[in-house]
Amino acid sequence: MPTLIDGKKTSEEIKTEIAQRVAEIKVEGGKTPHLAAILVGSDGASQTYVGAKVKSCEQVGFESTLVRLAESVTEEELLKVVEDINQNPDIDGLIVQLPLPKHISVEKVTNKIKPEKDVDGFTPANVGRMTLGWPAYVAATPYGIVELLKRYKIETSGKHCVVIGRSHIVGSPMSILMARNEYPGNCTVTLTHSRTKNLPEIAKTADILIVALGKPEFVTADMVKDGAVVIDVGIHRIEDNSKKSGFRLIGDVKFDEVSKKASAITPVPGGVGPMTIASLLYNTLLAAEKQVFG
């Protein structure tokens, strides 16, 4: 059986560490970290995600502010809310829950967020700093993956890492992080995507396979080398009448098949997913302590 890389357990460990640090800050008379979230509209999934983030803030002793805006909010009104939070010295971190309504430019909103408060790590300033290896807020999912590799002591130096998926949120930053001259890192990295020719053959050369393509059970056993470490970033809800809920969650990797060949693998759910919020909290702690931008 492969090592099951347990993101749920690891995320709880990180939250405990953050809570301990917050308790120390309070004893020292310092400022309690404060995260603000902006939620536009009434999308069910977005409300669930934001609710989980607010609850996690309470769990670690952070202050949190949730700003709810109507689906009909104008781009100008939203940018004004972002700027107000930028100028609020009590708020350390700001996230704008995606997706946004189609009449609002995600790029404009992201660029409006002050880099010092961009705990999602999406602004050009933070992406650039990460690429250069400077202190930065790293996007939550890639940071969570790096932390899982570190805490499970997965050897990365000199290994061939294949990343499937080139999104700005996961695939692209992941490829940069795995190539950096530090641990985890020092990999030879191949970044692949939906238009890559011979993708199955390339995937099979990976010592570390990170899959963030957004296609249910895309990676099958014949695409994986014996003993590979497999990180599944995907999450999809499919109908399953055998479940009380009527559905179940699966990833981008066909777990039952691939787990028989992998030396270590993340499950779905309970793998990468829980690490995203833990990473967001960690970035907010860094922001409160001015550890990235000073």
Side-chain angles (χ1 to χ4, degrees):
M1 286 294 293
T3 298
L4 205 62
I5 300 176
D6 191 338
K8 187 174 181 182
K9 174 173 171 283
T10 305
S11 69
E12 290 303 319
E13 290 170 359
I14 292 171
K15 287 179 185 176
T16 299
E17 292 164 10
I18 292 171
Q20 289 170 347
R21 178 57 194 144
V22 172
E24 291 170 3
I25 290 170
K26 290 178 179 178
V27 168
E28 294 163 0
K31 180 189 170 301
T32 301
H34 187 166
L35 175 66
I38 298 174
L39 176 61
V40 180
S42 56
D43 178 76
S46 292
Q47 290 193 67
T48 300
Y49 295 147
V50 169
K53 290 166 185 175
V54 170
K55 186 177 178 182
S56 293
C57 283
E58 294 171 5
Q59 188 180 344
V60 300
F62 284 8
E63 292 180 9
S64 64
T65 297
L66 174 56
V67 180
R68 294 179 179 272
L69 301 172
E71 182 94 13
S72 59
V73 69
T74 67
E75 186 176 88
E76 186 179 352
E77 288 168 337
L78 175 54
L79 292 173
K80 175 67 168 59
V81 173
V82 171
E83 184 56 26
D84 288 345
I85 294 173
N86 279 342
Q87 299 305 322
N88 186 338
D90 188 57
I91 295 175
D92 303 297
L94 168 62
I95 59 169
V96 178
Q97 184 63 46
L98 301 178
L100 291 172
K102 291 181 179 178
H103 65 277
I104 295 174
S105 165
V106 174
E107 185 178 293
K108 280 187 184 178
V109 174
T110 299
N111 286 341
K112 189 70 172 177
I113 298 171
K114 197 175 181 181
E116 292 88 337
K117 297 192 180 191
D118 168 37
V119 290
D120 258 336
F122 293 162
T123 60
N126 276 306
V127 173
R129 291 171 71 100
M130 177 206 68
T131 303
L132 293 169
W134 295 3
Y137 302 124
V138 177
T141 300
Y143 178 81
I145 294 169
V146 165
E147 196 63 20
L148 283 174
L149 294 172
K150 186 188 299 180
R151 293 188 181 228
Y152 275 83
K153 297 180 171 57
I154 304 293
E155 181 57 59
T156 60
S157 181
K159 302 294 185 181
H160 182 204
C161 175
V162 174
V163 180
I164 303 180
R166 56 181 168 181
S167 75
H168 297 313
I169 295 172
V170 183
S172 292
M174 202 68 245
S175 67
I176 293 165
L177 291 169
M178 294 303 288
R180 290 200 307 188
N181 184 21
E182 57 184 69
Y183 176 76
N186 281 312
C187 288
T188 298
V189 180
T190 302
L191 177 61
T192 67
H193 45 81
S194 59
R195 297 192 181 183
T196 299
K197 292 181 180 178
N198 304 320
L199 181 52
E201 290 86 346
I202 295 170
K204 198 164 186 176
T205 67
D207 301 303
I208 300 169
L209 183 62
I210 300 172
V211 190
L213 194 62
K215 292 187 177 180
E217 297 186 333
F218 176 81
V219 171
T220 50
D222 59 338
M223 296 171 65
V224 178
K225 179 165 73 171
D226 286 336
V229 174
V230 180
I231 306 294
D232 187 352
V233 185
I235 186 160
H236 312 276
R237 184 166 139 163
I238 62 168
E239 287 186 15
D240 187 341
N241 294 327
S242 70
K243 301 289 183 182
K244 188 177 179 181
S245 62
F247 69 89
R248 63 188 172 94
L249 299 175
I250 60 172
D252 286 357
V253 174
K254 200 158 189 178
F255 183 87
D256 291 346
E257 283 187 11
V258 173
S259 61
K260 293 173 184 173
K261 297 185 76 174
S263 62
I265 189 170
T266 57
V268 175
V272 173
M275 293 297 292
T276 301
I277 291 180
S279 303
L280 182 67
L281 296 173
Y282 178 73
N283 277 347
T284 303
L285 179 63
L286 291 179
E289 297 201 282
K290 309 262 187 298
Q291 290 192 38
V292 174
F293 285 87

